[in-house]
Amino acid sequence: MSGDHHTIELPSTPLPSHLTTTASQVTAPNGPAPNGLRGLDEPPAVLLGELTLPAERESVPAARRFSRSVSTASGIGHVADDAEVLVSELVTNAVRHAPVAGGALCLRLLRAGTRLRIEVHDQSAAVPTARPVDLMEETGRGWFLVAVMADGHGTDHTASGKAVWCEVRAWPRDEHPGH
């Protein structure tokens, strides 16, 4: 599990005000390449779903439900539980650290080669940082959980803020894990 952080400037894309469920080509980076850009031999990431949410606590369960439905519809139900936890952590952090309560967040789920890429776009330039984990505290374990569960994670700066992302292997389904 890597803890790669890639900081690059991406073109600004407006946050949509609707849910997108049709797959389409996107140009967002799709993996932990050394410079945060997609490798020449990797196809562009395919958008599986996108959801715009307000930066409010009530958005976290909506994001989890959306993640589960996209995972199931995309044939990767075997990673739905992990994806749901990762989405929950990323959205919770974006809500908690939003510069304006109720500001727009955008959750994007993409297929990046063999990986499910989870991105949460927000309007803050502040980058998440790991801090010592105190298991007795109620908060503070989100970024640690992402680092442990995901195959890669990081932050990309955008013209309108940042995108915090993580990836998990989802395709092809491994019928015999550990073999």
Side-chain angles (χ1 to χ4, degrees):
M1 277 143 276
S2 74
D4 298 338
H5 280 285
H6 303 292
T7 303
I8 61 172
E9 196 68 30
L10 296 176
S12 174
T13 53
L15 296 176
S17 60
H18 66 284
L19 166 66
T20 304
T21 55
T22 20
S24 62
Q25 299 295 321
V26 294
T27 56
N30 69 351
N35 61 2
L37 299 175
R38 180 174 45 83
L40 294 176
D41 59 340
E42 294 183 43
V46 176
L47 183 65
L48 302 173
E50 187 172 84
L51 179 64
T52 299
L53 302 160
E56 298 171 351
R57 290 180 357 169
E58 295 77 20
S59 294
V60 177
R64 285 194 302 259
R65 287 188 302 273
F66 176 74
S67 170
R68 181 157 300 274
S69 69
V70 170
S71 296
T72 302
S74 300
I76 54 169
H78 59 284
V79 298
D81 290 342
D82 287 352
E84 195 173 328
V85 170
L86 293 166
V87 162
S88 183
E89 294 302 331
L90 294 184
V91 172
T92 297
N93 284 343
V95 166
R96 176 165 287 145
H97 300 290
V100 177
L105 304 176
C106 181
L107 170 61
R108 292 181 179 161
L109 302 176
L110 304 106
R111 180 175 180 165
T114 61
R115 300 171 311 275
L116 171 65
R117 182 177 175 97
I118 301 164
E119 297 178 351
V120 176
H121 296 252
D122 65 39
Q123 299 167 353
S124 169
V127 175
T129 56
R131 63 182 196 191
V133 176
D134 183 346
L135 298 177
M136 300 307 289
E137 290 294 320
E138 188 173 320
T139 65
R141 294 181 296 275
W143 198 237
F144 172 77
L145 281 174
V146 171
V148 169
M149 293 178 68
D151 295 319
H153 67 282
T155 303
D156 296 329
H157 288 281
T158 66
S160 61
K162 71 175 174 302
V164 179
W165 59 269
C166 64
E167 295 178 341
V168 291
R169 185 175 178 273
W171 293 275
R173 180 180 180 160
D174 186 359
E175 298 295 335
H176 304 287
H179 289 103

